Amino acid sequence: MSTTLEPLEPLEPTLSVRQVLMLERVLAGEPEVVAGAAQLDRAVRWVHVAEAADVGVMLSGGEMVLTTGVLLAGDDDKQAEYIRSLHRAEAAAVVLGLGRAFPAPPDVMRRAAERCGLPMVVLHRPFPFAELTEEVQARLVRRKFAAVSMSEAVRTALTGLITAGAPLQRMLDEIAHHSGCPVVVTNLAHRVLATAGERSAVDDVLRDWERIARQAGGSEGDGWIRAELGGRGERWGQIMLCGYRGDTATGRLLADRAAEALVLHRMLGGTSAHTWEEQSAQSLLTDLVSGVVPARQLLPRARAAGLPVNRRTFVPLVVRDGDPAELDRVLRLLGLPGIVAELADGATAVLLSLARDQDATVLTANFAARLSGTVVAAADPRTAWDDVPGGMREARHVADAVASGALDLPAVVRLKDVHLRGLVRLLRDDPHVQSFAERELDGLLCGAGDDLLAVLRTYLATGRNKSRTAQLHHVSRPALYRRLEAIQGRLGVDLDDFEQAASVHIALLAHDAQQS
């Protein structure tokens, strides 16, 4: 059974003073705010009818107190102290019904309430306090129940996803579905690890992320609601609801449920905040390589992920057979800003972001020198972000072109180093090229020709150097000659003829490109 629910209408677990005053029954009493008008958004936790002069000692905060003031009439000191006691008890507001005790708003109480910032409301028409108490209490109970129900519904939905083994992104999509606003997960350095929500709204948030991150430790407001991620005394990140349109208390409840689920997801899945960072980098670099998402749209994500993007030189790299964790460690060791992510087919993408006055060639060579047993393919540096996707694809093409293990490569391989191999790689899916390769190599592709094909590959890669080929295959020169004669016999070519050897070489490069 699906655990996805329809978006829940944000319900406040409390009413504000302003909302209470807008109730139909209250409007019938012709309410007038005579003091504390700036505080009408205070939350009303309960409604209390009291005539006692010392009612403040019976309050616990958040109450709207209803009174006729019958015990206060004629005593200015009692009136002022009454208001002060309500202020000390953190009452939400005081509502005074005008009548025999006070036919007009009392100036002493009004001035005291204004000084304390306590909303004071007078009712000009007789009003049955019991009806207001009943309606407000009923509304508060319904809203609190609705908030609890919402919390449990979200918890159930997220727990169901965890049980089903859903990935992090699916969890965040569900949270964004319920909250109706962008959701952002960050590490302790406020770098974005993952996002969810409507794409345009998320991009708006990420474009302003530097300012938001600077204010991340401040108080919540304007729908920006945070919950800490961590456990066992260790914090490792936070989740943010960005621009939540409901009540802050409800949003905080939703954020808390989301945080609980994400922590549980991490524990049960054996993942870590670092793994989430890797997933974030992988998503960004995969989109850059594919070119499906315009570079301009990816810029906010790159900036929010902590990659410097203003006035920088970008160096796209693709490393064959490299461990992403080791590559990231080398970047940190050299102090090179960049992001690392594993792509398909054993390739790892690296995007360096260097200051304009740094030597990109030297720093790239230093990076490659720290690695062993790997091929570092590099594109020419880019100074414009819009050119980075093309650079990533160029580096990927170079890495693919040397994947078969070309000999005598420099530490950093560039497009100019792959020559014919690179061109053939680009054309490998052309039907004419495929047909050509099959036709030229037919004598070795059928039957037990694998060993001969390997010898041919080495012989042509070494520039038809027989001594070097025999050495690399650990055979004697006479044995190599016999194998070369067998190859020529099967293919019907003379490998001493340059044009025929070149034709076979091109066919072999095309065959290897198609196989990989």
Side-chain angles (χ1 to χ4, degrees):
M1 182 176 65
S2 174
T3 57
T4 302
L5 304 177
E6 290 301 311
L8 298 174
E9 186 70 23
L11 287 177
E12 307 169 12
T14 59
L15 290 168
S16 68
V17 175
R18 190 188 308 277
Q19 288 172 317
V20 173
L21 297 181
M22 293 301 294
L23 296 177
E24 186 175 347
R25 291 186 180 182
V26 179
L27 291 174
E30 297 182 8
E32 178 189 358
V33 180
V34 297
Q39 303 295 324
L40 294 183
D41 290 322
R42 282 184 174 181
V44 176
R45 188 183 57 82
W46 210 242
V47 177
H48 192 70
V49 181
E51 299 293 351
D54 59 349
V55 65
V57 300
M58 295 181 282
L59 305 179
S60 58
E63 295 90 351
M64 174 179 277
V65 177
L66 310 180
T67 183
T68 62
V70 65
L71 299 180
L72 304 174
D75 190 329
D76 290 353
D77 291 339
K78 280 188 176 181
Q79 293 173 28
E81 177 57 27
Y82 181 82
I83 295 296
R84 288 194 293 268
S85 68
L86 292 180
H87 172 64
R88 289 193 296 269
E90 298 182 348
V94 58
V95 178
L96 175 65
L98 300 182
R100 285 179 300 174
F102 291 103
D107 285 340
V108 173
M109 294 179 68
R110 183 184 58 78
R111 288 194 299 269
E114 194 64 52
R115 284 194 298 270
C116 294
L118 176 70
M120 179 176 174
V121 182
V122 296
L123 300 174
H124 289 277
R125 294 178 63 87
F127 187 90
F129 284 168
E131 291 185 10
L132 175 59
T133 302
E134 179 183 3
E135 180 169 351
V136 172
Q137 315 297 48
R139 285 175 178 263
L140 289 174
V141 169
R142 286 199 302 269
R143 286 169 176 264
K144 289 180 179 179
F145 178 75
V148 172
S149 297
M150 180 275 290
S151 173
E152 289 307 308
V154 172
R155 175 181 282 157
T156 299
L158 295 178
T159 301
L161 290 174
I162 294 173
T163 303
L168 171 65
Q169 189 59 54
R170 180 67 185 87
M171 299 279 293
L172 294 180
D173 289 341
E174 186 74 8
I175 295 167
H177 181 68
H178 286 294
S179 66
C181 67
V183 175
V184 177
V185 175
T186 73
N187 62 13
L188 293 180
H190 306 302
R191 291 188 176 182
V192 174
L193 306 181
T195 62
E198 185 182 349
R199 189 71 260 165
S200 60
V202 171
D203 287 344
D204 288 342
V205 169
L206 296 184
R207 268 191 289 271
D208 201 26
W209 187 252
E210 291 183 3
R211 180 187 63 81
I212 294 170
R214 285 196 298 270
Q215 298 176 352
S219 59
E220 295 175 344
D222 299 326
W224 297 90
I225 300 173
R226 294 178 299 278
E228 300 295 334
L229 299 176
R232 299 176 182 175
E234 177 189 6
R235 290 174 53 245
W236 45 268
Q238 67 177 1
I239 181 171
M240 293 183 65
L241 307 185
C242 305
Y244 181 70
R245 293 187 295 271
D247 175 72
T248 299
T250 305
R252 189 175 296 115
L253 193 62
L254 175 58
D256 287 342
R257 295 294 84 79
E260 290 173 3
L262 293 184
V263 171
L264 183 60
H265 180 272
R266 174 189 172 188
M267 292 173 58
L268 295 180
T271 60
S272 64
H274 181 65
T275 302
W276 287 3
E277 289 183 18
E278 291 175 349
Q279 292 174 356
S280 175
Q282 184 177 44
S283 174
L284 174 60
L285 289 181
T286 299
D287 285 345
L288 280 171
V289 171
S290 68
V292 173
V293 182
R296 185 57 51 183
Q297 293 183 20
L298 297 173
L299 185 59
R301 288 170 56 187
R303 182 183 290 112
L307 185 73
V309 295
N310 295 330
R311 297 187 58 79
R312 308 292 288 187
T313 296
F314 302 101
V315 183
L317 306 174
V318 172
V319 181
R320 276 286 171 189
D321 304 319
D323 177 14
E326 174 64 15
L327 299 180
D328 188 61
R329 187 192 69 80
V330 172
L331 285 184
R332 296 175 188 275
L333 180 66
L334 296 176
L336 298 177
I339 51 177
V340 179
E342 186 174 6
L343 303 177
D345 303 326
T348 302
V350 181
L351 180 60
L352 302 182
S353 175
L354 308 176
R356 292 284 176 88
D357 59 353
Q358 291 181 294
D359 191 323
T361 301
V362 171
L363 292 177
T364 303
N366 290 343
F367 174 72
R370 295 276 182 168
L371 308 175
S372 59
T374 60
V375 173
V376 178
D380 292 333
R382 264 63 173 173
T383 56
W385 175 259
D386 287 346
D387 295 333
V388 170
M392 294 301 307
R393 290 192 291 274
E394 178 183 316
R396 180 64 186 267
H397 164 64
V398 173
D400 287 345
V402 298
S404 60
L407 303 176
D408 302 323
L409 292 172
V412 178
V413 186
R414 304 183 185 277
L415 192 60
K416 64 182 180 60
D417 299 313
V418 295
H419 305 295
L420 179 62
R421 186 183 299 272
L423 175 62
V424 172
R425 184 81 184 187
L426 288 175
L427 300 175
R428 63 178 175 172
D429 295 326
D430 187 295
H432 298 292
V433 174
Q434 294 173 353
S435 176
F436 169 76
E438 291 286 333
R439 183 173 62 252
E440 289 290 301
L441 301 176
D442 181 63
L444 295 180
L445 296 181
C446 56
D450 288 347
D451 182 57
L452 295 179
L453 202 62
V455 171
L456 175 63
R457 184 180 293 110
T458 304
Y459 180 62
L460 295 174
T462 59
R464 295 183 293 173
N465 186 318
K466 295 182 176 62
S467 298
R468 179 65 173 152
T469 302
Q471 181 182 22
L472 289 174
H473 283 271
H474 307 289
V475 297
S476 64
R477 297 262 313 235
L480 175 65
Y481 294 156
R482 289 193 294 273
R483 296 184 186 185
L484 291 176
E485 289 174 359
I487 292 170
Q488 294 180 107
R490 288 197 179 195
L491 298 182
V493 297
D494 179 6
L495 293 178
D496 289 330
D497 180 87
F498 176 78
E499 184 174 338
Q500 294 183 53
S503 181
V504 172
H505 193 186
I506 293 171
L508 185 57
L509 291 176
H511 169 75
D512 290 345
Q514 292 160 14
Q515 294 301 309
S516 62

